[in-house]
Amino acid sequence: MKKFINQPDQVVREALAGLAAAHPALRVDVERQIVVRGDAPVAGKVGLVSGGGSGHEPMHGGFVGPGMLDAACAGEVFTSPVPDQILAATQAVDGGAGVVHIVKNYTGDVLNFQMAAELAADESIEVRTVLVDDDVAVRDSTWTAGRRGTGATVIVEKIAGALAAEGASLDAVAAMGAAVNEASASFAVALAPCTTPAAGKPGFELADDEMEVGVGIHGEPGRRREKIRPAREIVAMALDAIHAAKPIAADDRLIVLVNGLGGTPLIELYLLFNEVATALGDGGRIARSLVGNYVTSLDMVGMSVTVTRATDEMLRLWDAPVTTPGLRWS
Amino acid sequence: MKKFINQPDQVVREALAGLAAAHPALRVDVERQIVVRGDAPVAGKVGLVSGGGSGHEPMHGGFVGPGMLDAACAGEVFTSPVPDQILAATQAVDGGAGVVHIVKNYTGDVLNFQMAAELAADESIEVRTVLVDDDVAVRDSTWTAGRRGTGATVIVEKIAGALAAEGASLDAVAAMGAAVNEASASFAVALAPCTTPAAGKPGFELADDEMEVGVGIHGEPGRRREKIRPAREIVAMALDAIHAAKPIAADDRLIVLVNGLGGTPLIELYLLFNEVATALGDGGRIARSLVGNYVTSLDMVGMSVTVTRATDEMLRLWDAPVTTPGLRWS
């Protein structure tokens, strides 16, 4: 297996120790696999907690910090975090104004976050849950009832995080998170599978001239397999699927994420963004954009496009300062 | 070939068009392959120009902006930019205080930047050149006389860029760039080769259980090939080589870059940084750090470690605000 690791079962903990060493502003509980912003809980502020299986870095631990998440729970690779862990994160960030859980729609994540929310309620912490299910490729996939949560998670976490930083109420933050998810659609294509440290071999097989269209971020099957096509046609296919699920109007203002799945070089992501911009760009519809590796699938060679039809308020919150390892601006 | 491209010979231009679309604060001349900060030239400020072959993104185009480079010249993939192109970039950023060329030590780059500097002198633009040659793995490699320029380029560009932003003189900015290079050492290891769009097949071959120790950022051979070892031993090997070339003292204050070569997932880069921090970290020697894909080699699976023995002034300049696609903080 070609990986920079020591032992497969220590990868998540050792990477979290590295995150802690690189980012002293974060408080990292390596044993419990919880990343918390250093000044949590912030009194009177709604806390934001997300989490999920590891292997999608920088999501979620890399999005902890002022203006975005208050805490993230890292499960083992491609495995949900557990309820006790989520409860501990929820307690750590509860500043008295309640906590929002941002949960990608995978069955294990949904169940464990729900159980943690019930445990938190027993401790008198009010929790609201924002479910992210932006992937328009398939319904009811390997680990999902309904649509999968993927690239839009970054946009939900950024915008809801900015609103929470302004002191908005629990209901307002949760409603904004849900609205961003509702306004978002994603579609992914893989050219080569990822390999988990535990398995040591690729999660699926693709012929040398094939791509997986509509792939999930754990390598779950997409809509079909077909011959590799030029970037322009791949982008057109992704945008068609997005448009079919959530139509893009002529006067929409969009946040567009062209996201790498881990093994795709940045030069190709910018080339893909050029195709997206050419296809969508007339009339300045792309109001904001992000190009890079944000929601990955270990070393998968692939990319996803996420389009959010943003309100003025969403754009304002997108522009608000953020200080995390993975997203940072002012 | 498993790449998100349209035509191999259009990759660089289409990626530059994507960079332009994603970052409206940059002025991108797609035809001439020049990226310039939007407000250039800044009157009275020393201009900073870098460049080199494409395929190392975000370097260099992604480092153009306030606090870092004023312009970058993109060559074709793994091919030097040409003198006329470098001259045009130099003219575009000349604010009357002279221009610093930051040049990675590859024979083609050195010759073409030198020719451009002579052409600029004919136009009465004073140019100083900072040569970056931080890679301690080998001397006199495939395209280099002397040591190769790799990861330290980011650190040189950030720190020299910050000093130029403060209004320092041409000689002071060039001297600082040279001092950062002198204080820096890098070492890289690859687990799998990269594939250029033009060649369409891997640049070298590695057996399933082998790694290339001391690899260059174009896949140039390193010191040796050996069986893959645990991350801890790979880091120890890299730090030993760095220490042997540029000894690290007990009271040094270091800037450490753990850099991905393009195909390595972030979870592994943080795991590697944990090993570096464990090996070097006692006594708070690691004053600043950066973990991610900054100086890449297309889709190469690999990583490099760069260590800069920083002065207080270098640390202060490292912390100064920067606003570029690839590095951004305030």
Side-chain angles (χ1 to χ4, degrees), chain A residues 235-323:
Chain A
V235 165
M237 187 188 300
L239 290 176
D240 283 351
I242 287 169
H243 187 69
K246 300 196 178 175
I248 302 168
D251 60 350
D252 275 342
R253 300 203 69 199
L254 308 174
I255 301 172
V256 172
L257 165 62
V258 170
N259 174 62
L261 294 180
T264 301
L266 193 57
I267 192 170
E268 294 177 35
L269 298 180
Y270 274 112
L271 186 152
L272 288 161
F273 183 76
N274 181 49
E275 296 302 336
V276 175
T278 303
L280 287 181
D282 52 307
R285 275 193 293 185
I286 300 183
R288 304 291 184 276
S289 63
L290 198 58
V291 180
N293 292 286
Y294 293 96
V295 176
T296 62
S297 180
L298 293 169
D299 53 352
M300 192 183 290
V301 179
M303 69 92 188
S304 62
V305 180
T306 299
V307 174
T308 301
R309 298 159 304 163
T311 62
D312 288 347
E313 178 71 348
M314 289 176 193
L315 293 178
R316 187 184 70 75
L317 293 165
W318 177 260
D319 291 340
V322 60
T323 308

Side-chain angles (χ1 to χ4, degrees), chain B residues 227-248:
Chain B
K227 300 288 179 202
I228 290 185
R229 290 158 66 176
R232 191 163 302 137
E233 296 176 24
I234 292 173
V235 165
M237 186 187 301
L239 290 177
D240 283 351
I242 287 169
H243 187 69
K246 300 196 178 174
I248 302 167

Side-chain angles (χ1 to χ4, degrees), chain B residues 158-196:
Chain B
K158 170 67 184 80
I159 290 176
L163 189 60
E166 292 182 351
S169 72
L170 182 61
D171 285 333
V173 173
M176 177 59 77
V180 174
N181 176 61
E182 183 54 38
S184 301
S186 300
F187 196 90
V189 174
L191 304 185
C194 62
T195 299
T196 63

Side-chain angles (χ1 to χ4, degrees), chain B residues 268-314:
Chain B
E268 294 177 35
L269 298 180
Y270 273 112
L271 186 152
L272 289 161
F273 183 75
N274 181 49
E275 296 302 336
V276 175
T278 303
L280 288 180
D282 52 307
R285 274 193 293 186
I286 301 183
R288 304 291 185 275
S289 63
L290 199 57
V291 180
N293 292 288
Y294 294 97
V295 177
T296 62
S297 179
L298 294 169
D299 53 352
M300 193 183 288
V301 179
M303 69 92 188
S304 62
V305 180
T306 299
V307 175
T308 301
R309 297 158 305 161
T311 62
D312 289 348
E313 178 72 349
M314 289 176 192

Side-chain angles (χ1 to χ4, degrees), chain B residues 86-140:
Chain B
I86 301 166
L87 174 64
T90 303
Q91 291 170 318
V93 307
D94 173 36
V99 175
V100 172
H101 287 174
I102 298 176
V103 185
K104 302 195 300 303
N105 188 34
Y106 298 96
T107 305
D109 289 347
V110 170
L111 285 174
N112 288 355
F113 270 95
Q114 187 182 326
M115 209 171 298
E118 287 165 14
L119 294 170
D122 293 346
E123 317 241 333
S124 303
I125 302 174
E126 259 199 296
V127 172
R128 299 280 181 282
T129 299
V130 174
L131 197 69
V132 182
D133 63 349
D134 56 307
D135 183 346
V136 300
V138 295
R139 283 196 178 277
D140 303 336

Side-chain angles (χ1 to χ4, degrees), chain A residues 2 4-5 23 191 207 231 270, chain B residues 2 5 23 191 207 231 268 270:
Chain A
K2 296 217 145 184
F4 292 107
I5 63 173
H23 303 286
L191 304 186
Y270 274 112
Chain B
K2 296 217 143 183
I5 64 173
H23 304 286
L191 304 185
E268 294 177 35
Y270 273 112

Side-chain angles (χ1 to χ4, degrees), chain A residues 9-249:
Chain A
D9 63 349
Q10 294 300 315
V11 168
V12 173
R13 268 169 298 280
E14 293 178 8
L16 286 171
L19 186 76
H23 303 286
L26 302 177
R27 224 158 60 211
V28 181
D29 184 335
V30 171
E31 286 312 308
R32 302 183 80 173
Q33 303 184 183
I34 300 172
V35 181
V36 180
R37 61 183 270 188
D39 59 352
V42 181
K45 189 186 93 67
V46 170
L48 261 71
V49 175
S50 191
S54 293
H56 306 300
E57 292 69 22
M59 181 175 83
H60 297 273
F63 300 140
V64 175
M68 212 161 165
L69 298 179
D70 293 86
C73 302
E76 293 304 311
V77 171
F78 295 173
T79 303
S80 301
V82 297
D84 278 357
Q85 182 188 7
I86 302 166
L87 174 64
T90 303
Q91 290 169 318
V93 307
D94 173 37
V99 175
V100 171
H101 286 174
I102 298 176
V103 185
K104 300 193 304 302
N105 188 34
Y106 298 96
T107 306
D109 289 348
V110 171
L111 285 174
N112 288 355
F113 269 95
Q114 187 182 327
M115 209 171 298
E118 288 165 14
L119 295 169
D122 293 345
E123 316 241 333
S124 304
I125 303 174
E126 259 198 295
V127 172
R128 299 279 182 281
T129 299
V130 174
L131 197 69
V132 182
D133 63 348
D134 56 306
D135 183 346
V136 300
V138 294
R139 284 198 177 276
D140 304 335
S141 178
T142 317
W143 294 293
T144 329
R147 297 201 180 281
R148 305 174 294 211
T150 58
T153 315
V154 185
I155 301 171
V156 170
E157 293 178 357
K158 171 65 185 80
I159 291 176
L163 189 61
E166 291 183 352
S169 72
L170 183 61
D171 285 333
V173 174
M176 178 58 78
V180 174
N181 175 62
E182 182 56 37
S184 300
S186 299
F187 195 90
V189 174
L191 304 186
C194 63
T195 299
T196 64
K201 57 184 176 50
F204 57 98
E205 295 202 4
L206 272 176
D208 277 354
D209 59 350
E210 274 184 343
M211 60 182 179
E212 178 78 30
V213 176
V215 72
I217 56 172
H218 314 91
E220 308 95 302
R223 291 185 170 181
R224 64 185 177 273
R225 239 163 234 203
E226 58 176 82
K227 299 290 179 201
I228 291 185
R229 291 159 65 177
R232 190 164 302 137
E233 296 176 23
I234 292 173
V235 165
M237 187 188 300
L239 290 176
D240 283 351
I242 287 169
H243 187 69
K246 300 196 178 175
I248 302 168

